[in-house]
């Protein structure tokens, strides 16, 4: 009797468990009792229906046709929803958008056999039946990223270009390093971790898992507590979205939450039929482009994995938004920027303008490329001379400034070379206590064309060291001196190491400028680092290197529009979070920063900023990676300071330089940006490391700064 009762109990328990984990039947649109059909649909080869929506320019007149793939818990959109870009851009470029409900969402029939691959097959059939032409563009956002990867794998011949916007990541992709996936996975909310683990390992239990209420549910999937898992920037965007959102009830989940949301999660965290990091370049002849957009503050699709994918697939154009979260593309203007990059609008405009330029009359071309005459300070009409200056052998004048301990009493004399858009007046941030304790005299000067120094129409990398040598001689700094070159002043420091090493006691290369065309740089490394720059910077630097005679015309607003180099129009997107904090601090405490910048460029933007860019990205007279040790007997030292979050002088290249020059003492700051040394006592640490060497570094416990020489992944 007991055995029979136990058998009945087990059977009942199994029946209960089966009913608990078994999803309900979906409410198919158009079926008896199901939701009504309100949108146009196509019938797929397997009998399912796919609902779609067309916006923008009618496709018969459109120049560009873009298929939009929606993300998690979303759909093709309502009839009154705006298109995915500004109306001005849509009409100007002639864009037709085609959005659709993915299987199980909105009014598209569920697909019980849905996989990563089936998503691209649906898109292929949609494009074919809607007669979008032999090729089309594709944008996949968030969870819509995995269908975009699927298209890159299975139908690359149908694509003109692809944008992956904060695409979903799978922590079980075979090629992901175990430590990376584990580290990123642990950053998720514990409820998300458990739900995603079940979706990957026990997908048949997933519906039941989402029904249970004993263990913490997934805030991302349920939406409950999702605000706690979003970044601050996403929460701000979310408030804006909710204010603009229509009160119309969405039809996203109307056929069943399992067929829409749950099935989506089960597919994205399944064992994919391919590894995205092994996808081959779909555009080997540059007939199209693939763009990956990531937000540095994205807590859902973490930036570490996006960076890894971009590194493994060097043909991808990688864009990282420093202050962006998972919803950054909802910010005004961002969708336009994503679409312009996808359609290569800026590049095409540049080619058209260059063509127009080359076809223009010789006189017009001469006027455009000819720079405005500089307002030389010593000339009539030039600025008033307020700084002490020396006259160089070629007749030019060089303005300088001395501060710290008087040089007659100084133990150490350091020549400071300023960076881009700066001048001699921006003093190095060393404390007065340290300066007096060590007995340091700083000598800063305006580089040619900056501030009070005359322009040098023949300026080169080599001429920078010649100016410094003459300055040190005339100021009687002694047979040897120390040198500190910051940012763009780094190329002057490299020049001194090459041409006047016998005059140096020690050198600091502080976040030094890099040239992506140095001969010894590996091509894939320079290309990868170059692509991390904002597209406007990429184009500007490319012109400076390849067409320097056109650079003046490029910088003139009336021909090519504002240059970010001059206007800092993209500073928010091209500056790291640590740097933005320092900039805000400086702006709040210094009211004369604009006046200082105007003073540094007072002899003309072309002779200061433009020529600086042209020189640093020119073909150098030497390769810095091939330089000989200037201190073979350890009578001095060279220090290179770099920063992981430096978006202008990327750490990858700094690490490579340090590896190829083992006599360089390399220091890396894990959480520093390009101007990290401006705060927190870093100026003192840099000076002390130069004078007191490795003993000081140990005493200061700078091990946390990471000597990446033993950790470099690039060989």
């Amino acid at each position: 009797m007991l055995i029979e009762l136990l058998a009945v109990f087990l059977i009942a328990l199994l029946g209960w468990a089966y009913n608990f984990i078994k999803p309900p039947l979906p409410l198919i649109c158009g079926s008896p009792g199901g939701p009504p059909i309100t949108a146009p649909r196509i019938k797929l080869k397997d009998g399912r229906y796919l609902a779609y929506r067309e916006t923008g320019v009618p496709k018969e007149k459109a120049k560009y046709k873009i298929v939009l793939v929606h993300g998690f818990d979303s759909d093709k959109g309502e009839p009154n929803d705006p298109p995915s870009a500004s109306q001005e851009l849509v009409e100007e470029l002639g864009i037709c958008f085609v959005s659709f409900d993915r299987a199980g969402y909105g009014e598209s029939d569920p697909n019980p056999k849905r996989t990563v691959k089936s998503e691209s097959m649906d898109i292929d059939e949609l494009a074919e039946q809607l007669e979008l032409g032999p090729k089309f563009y594709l944008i996949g956002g968030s969870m819509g990223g995995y269908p975009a990867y699927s298209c890159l794998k299975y139908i690359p011949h149908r694509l003109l270009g692809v944008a992956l916007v904060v695409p979903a990541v799978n922590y079980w992709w075979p090629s992901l390093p175990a430590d990376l996936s584990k580290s990123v996975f642990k950053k998720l909310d514990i409820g998300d971790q458990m739900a995603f683990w079940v979706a990957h390992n026990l997908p048949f239990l997933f519906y039941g898992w989402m029904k249970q209420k004993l263990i913490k549910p997934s805030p991302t999937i349920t939406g409950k507590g999702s605000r706690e898992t979003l970044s601050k920037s996403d929460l701000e965007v979310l408030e804006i979205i909710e204010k603009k959102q229509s009160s119309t009830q969405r039809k996203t989940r109307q056929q069943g939450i399992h067929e829409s949301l749950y099935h989506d999660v089960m597919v994205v965290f399944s064992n994919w039929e391919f590894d995205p990091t092994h996808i081959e370049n779909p555009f080997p002849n540059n007939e199209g482009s693939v763009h990956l957009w990531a937000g540095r503050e994205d807590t859902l699709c973490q930036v570490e994995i996006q960076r890894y994918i971009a590194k493994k697939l060097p043909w991808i154009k990688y864009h990282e938004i420093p202050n962006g979260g998972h919803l950054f593309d909802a910010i005004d203007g961002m969708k336009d920027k994503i679409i312009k990059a996808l359609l290569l609008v800026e590049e095409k405009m540049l080619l058209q303008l260059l063509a127009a330029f080359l076809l223009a009359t010789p006189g017009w071309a001469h006027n455009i490329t000819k720079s405005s005459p500089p307002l030389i300070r010593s000339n009539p009409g030039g600025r008033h001379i307020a700084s002490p200056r020396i006259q160089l052998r070629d007749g030019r004048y060089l303005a300088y400034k001395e501060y710290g301990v008087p040089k007659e009493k100084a133990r150490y004399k350091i020549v400071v070379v300023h960076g881009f858009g700066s001048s001699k007046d921006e003093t190095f941030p060393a404390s007065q206590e340290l300066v007096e304790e060590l007995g340091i005299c700083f000598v800063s000067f305006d580089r040619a064309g900056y501030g009070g120094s005359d322009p040098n129409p023949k300026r080169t990398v080599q001429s920078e060291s010649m100016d410094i040598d003459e300055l040190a001689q005339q100021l009687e700094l002694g047979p040897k001196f120390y040198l500190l070159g910051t940012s763009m002043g780094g190329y002057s420091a490299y020049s001194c190491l090459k041409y006047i090493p016998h005059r140096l006691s020690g050198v600091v290369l502080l976040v030094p400028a890099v040239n992506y065309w140095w001969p010894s740089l590996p091509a894939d490394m320079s290309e990868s680092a170059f692509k991390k720059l904002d597209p406007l910077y990429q184009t500007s630097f490319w012109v400076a290197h390849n067409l320097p005679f056109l650079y003046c015309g490029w910088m003139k607003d009336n021909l090519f529009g504002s240059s970010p180099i001059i206007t800092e129009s993209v500073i928010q997107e091209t500056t790291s979070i640590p740097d933005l904090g320092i900039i805000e601090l400086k702006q709040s405490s210094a009211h004369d920063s604009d006046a200082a910048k105007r003073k540094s460029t007072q002899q003309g933007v072309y002779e200061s900023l433009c020529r600086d860019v042209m020189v640093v990205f020119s073909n150098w007279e030497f390769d810095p990676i091939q330089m000989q040790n200037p201190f073979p007997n350890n009578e001095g030292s060279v220090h290179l300071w770099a920063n992981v979050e430096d978006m202008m002088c990327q750490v990858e290249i700094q690490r490579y330089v340090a590896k190829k020059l083992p006599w360089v003492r390399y220091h890396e700051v894990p959480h520093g940006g390009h101007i990290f040394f401006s705060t927190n006592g870093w100026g003192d640490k840099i000076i002390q490391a130069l004078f007191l060497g490795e003993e000081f570094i140990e005493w200061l416990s700078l091990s946390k700064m990471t000597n990446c020489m033993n950790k470099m992944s690039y060989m």
Side-chain angles (χ1 to χ4, degrees):
M1 184 67 178
L2 182 61
I3 294 175
E4 292 173 348
L5 287 171
L6 185 60
V8 171
F9 175 76
L10 289 174
I11 291 170
L13 183 63
L14 289 172
W16 174 84
Y18 176 74
N19 288 327
F20 187 78
I21 65 175
K22 182 183 178 183
L25 293 174
L27 294 171
I28 307 293
C29 282
S31 65
I37 299 169
T38 63
R41 307 201 301 175
I42 62 165
K43 187 175 182 179
L44 302 172
K45 293 174 185 175
D46 62 5
R48 289 181 298 114
Y49 285 88
L50 213 65
Y52 67 92
R53 170 181 174 241
E54 295 181 14
T55 52
V57 175
K59 67 175 177 242
E60 297 77 17
K61 299 179 180 179
K63 182 179 179 182
Y64 301 104
K65 295 160 188 173
I66 303 177
V67 174
L68 302 176
V69 191
H70 68 77
F72 182 74
D73 201 9
S74 185
D75 56 33
K76 67 183 180 303
E78 296 296 327
N80 296 325
D81 286 346
S84 194
S86 68
Q87 192 61 31
E88 295 77 12
L89 182 71
V90 171
E91 293 177 357
E92 179 187 347
L93 298 182
I95 304 172
C96 172
F97 294 103
V98 176
S99 55
F100 68 102
D101 291 329
R102 293 194 285 118
Y105 278 101
E107 297 181 43
S108 290
D109 291 347
N111 181 3
K113 298 180 180 179
R114 177 149 57 122
T115 63
V116 175
K117 183 177 182 179
S118 70
E119 295 279 317
S120 60
M121 300 299 102
D122 288 358
I123 293 170
D124 191 23
E125 282 198 66
L126 176 73
E128 188 176 344
Q129 292 198 38
L130 295 186
E131 298 179 350
L132 299 186
K135 293 190 176 188
F136 53 89
Y137 291 90
L138 186 79
I139 298 178
S142 188
M143 197 72 94
Y146 80 84
Y149 278 125
S150 180
C151 290
L152 285 168
K153 173 65 178 179
Y154 295 112
I155 58 167
H157 56 285
R158 297 299 311 274
L159 304 174
L160 286 168
V162 175
L164 297 144
V165 184
V166 291
V169 298
N170 182 322
Y171 306 96
W172 293 274
W173 283 331
S175 294
L176 273 185
D179 56 344
L180 174 61
S181 58
K182 184 177 180 181
S183 167
V184 173
F185 190 69
K186 283 186 175 180
K187 292 181 181 180
L188 297 172
D189 180 272
I190 188 65
D192 284 342
Q193 291 184 41
M194 291 188 288
F196 297 165
W197 186 93
V198 172
H200 177 74
N201 294 282
L202 303 168
F204 61 91
L205 292 180
F206 191 68
Y207 180 77
W209 176 266
M210 295 304 297
K211 278 176 64 178
Q212 61 83 28
K213 302 185 185 303
L214 296 176
I215 304 174
K216 182 179 180 181
S218 163
T220 299
I221 299 173
T222 64
K224 298 175 181 178
S226 59
R227 289 180 177 273
E228 298 174 10
T229 64
L230 291 175
S231 66
K232 182 180 178 182
S233 58
D234 277 339
L235 289 174
E236 293 172 355
V237 174
L238 196 59
E239 288 180 10
I240 298 172
I241 293 174
E242 289 174 345
K243 288 178 182 177
K244 293 181 179 180
Q245 219 167 34
S246 168
S247 59
T248 306
Q249 182 65 40
R250 287 289 189 188
K251 303 173 182 177
T252 302
R253 316 176 192 176
Q254 64 181 354
Q255 298 185 90
I257 195 169
H258 178 75
E259 293 299 336
S260 52
L261 273 60
Y262 296 173
H263 212 155
D264 226 10
V265 174
M266 291 161 63
V267 172
V268 78
F269 293 118
S270 65
N271 290 313
W272 288 27
E273 302 94 335
F274 64 95
D275 187 332
T277 60
H278 291 161
I279 297 176
E280 294 184 0
N281 184 358
F283 308 115
N285 300 315
N286 294 319
E287 64 274 30
S289 59
V290 179
H291 301 255
L292 196 163
W293 293 79
R296 190 173 298 172
E297 296 184 24
D298 192 338
T299 56
L300 299 178
C301 302
Q302 297 88 340
V303 72
E304 296 92 332
I305 294 184
Q306 311 290 19
R307 290 172 180 167
Y308 182 80
I309 292 170
K311 179 181 177 183
K312 298 297 286 185
L313 303 176
W315 42 268
I316 281 183
K317 296 186 177 181
Y318 181 66
H319 313 268
E320 187 173 301
I321 309 301
N323 301 317
H326 192 67
L327 306 174
F328 82 85
D329 64 318
I331 299 171
D332 288 343
M334 281 308 306
K335 284 187 171 69
D336 282 14
K337 184 166 185 176
I338 290 167
I339 288 168
K340 284 181 179 180
L342 174 64
L343 303 181
L344 303 175
V345 173
E346 280 86 2
E347 293 181 29
K348 290 172 183 175
M349 286 178 62
L350 172 61
L351 291 174
Q352 292 169 357
L353 289 167
L354 285 176
F357 176 84
L358 294 173
L359 292 173
T361 62
W364 177 81
H366 174 73
N367 289 331
I368 283 294
T369 57
K370 184 180 178 182
S371 62
S372 302
L375 291 172
I376 300 176
R377 291 174 61 101
S378 53
N379 285 351
R383 305 288 182 179
H384 172 66
I385 299 172
S387 303
R389 307 201 301 173
I390 62 163
Q391 186 172 20
L392 303 172
R393 283 190 288 267
D394 61 7
R396 289 181 296 116
Y397 285 88
L398 213 62
Y400 68 92
K401 174 184 176 181
E402 297 179 16
Y403 57 97
V405 174
K407 68 175 179 241
E408 296 76 15
K409 300 178 180 179
R411 180 182 175 193
Y412 300 107
K413 294 159 189 174
I414 304 178
V415 175
V416 179
V417 192
H418 68 78
F420 183 78
S422 186
S423 72
K424 67 181 182 306
D425 296 321
E426 188 162 339
T427 58
F428 187 76
S431 69
Q432 188 63 30
E433 294 78 11
L434 181 72
V435 171
E436 292 178 357
E437 178 187 346
L438 295 181
I440 303 172
C441 172
F442 291 99
V443 176
S444 58
F445 69 102
D446 290 329
R447 293 192 287 118
Y450 277 100
S453 292
D454 291 347
N456 181 2
K458 298 179 180 179
R459 177 150 56 122
T460 63
V461 176
Q462 182 175 359
S463 71
E464 293 280 307
S465 60
M466 301 300 103
D467 286 358
I468 293 170
D469 190 24
E470 281 199 67
L471 176 72
Q473 282 183 15
Q474 292 198 38
L475 295 186
E476 299 180 350
L477 299 186
K480 291 192 175 187
F481 54 89
Y482 291 88
L483 185 76
L484 193 157
T486 302
S487 187
M488 196 73 95
Y491 81 82
S492 305
Y494 277 126
S495 178
C496 291
L497 284 168
K498 172 65 178 179
Y499 295 111
I500 58 168
H502 58 285
R503 301 279 280 128
L504 305 174
S505 293
V507 175
V508 175
L509 295 152
L510 187 53
V511 290
V514 298
N515 182 324
Y516 304 95
W517 293 273
W518 283 334
S520 294
L521 270 185
D524 57 345
M525 175 183 287
S526 59
E527 182 179 4
S528 172
F530 190 68
K531 284 182 177 179
K532 290 181 181 179
L533 298 170
D534 183 273
L536 291 172
Y537 281 111
Q538 291 182 38
T539 311
S540 185
F541 297 165
W542 185 92
V543 172
H545 177 74
N546 293 282
L547 302 168
F549 61 93
L550 288 181
Y551 197 65
C552 176
W554 168 259
M555 302 299 276
K556 287 184 178 179
D557 290 349
N558 62 338
L559 178 63
F560 293 103
S562 298
S563 167
I565 301 294
I566 303 300
T567 64
E568 298 181 345
S569 58
V570 291
I571 191 168
Q572 292 293 324
E573 296 168 23
T574 59
T575 306
S576 66
I577 293 173
D579 281 343
L580 284 173
I582 295 173
I583 291 170
E584 290 175 5
L585 186 65
K586 281 187 170 184
Q587 289 174 341
S588 63
S589 60
H591 303 292
D592 59 346
S593 57
D594 289 340
K597 184 162 187 178
R598 286 194 299 270
K599 187 177 179 182
S600 71
T601 59
Q602 64 186 351
Q603 299 191 77
V605 166
Y606 180 79
E607 290 299 339
S608 53
L609 305 184
C610 298
R611 197 173 287 279
D612 227 9
V613 174
M614 292 164 63
V615 173
V616 79
F617 294 116
S618 66
N619 289 314
W620 289 26
E621 303 93 337
F622 63 96
D623 186 339
I625 300 172
Q626 302 294 332
M627 285 193 300
Q628 300 295 315
N629 183 357
F631 307 116
N633 301 315
N634 294 319
E635 64 274 31
S637 59
V638 179
H639 298 255
L640 196 163
W641 291 77
N643 311 277
V644 173
E645 297 190 38
D646 191 337
M647 296 180 67
M648 292 305 300
C649 302
Q650 295 90 342
V651 72
E652 301 95 318
I653 295 182
Q654 311 289 22
R655 289 172 181 167
Y656 185 79
V657 171
K659 181 194 172 188
K660 300 301 286 185
L661 303 176
W663 41 268
V664 166
R665 299 183 184 182
Y666 181 66
H667 316 275
E668 185 172 299
V669 182
H671 304 295
H674 189 65
I675 53 176
F676 80 97
F677 55 89
S678 300
T679 60
N680 300 326
W682 277 108
D684 283 8
K685 297 171 188 175
I686 290 164
I687 295 297
Q688 287 168 315
L690 173 65
F691 293 145
L692 306 178
E694 300 302 327
E695 297 79 7
F696 167 73
I697 295 175
E698 277 183 31
W699 173 77
L700 194 62
S701 298
L702 285 181
S703 58
K704 290 183 179 179
M705 290 193 316
T706 319
N707 187 330
C708 284
M709 299 305 298
N710 298 322
K711 297 182 180 180
M712 274 193 270
S713 58
Y714 194 97
M715 297 297 176

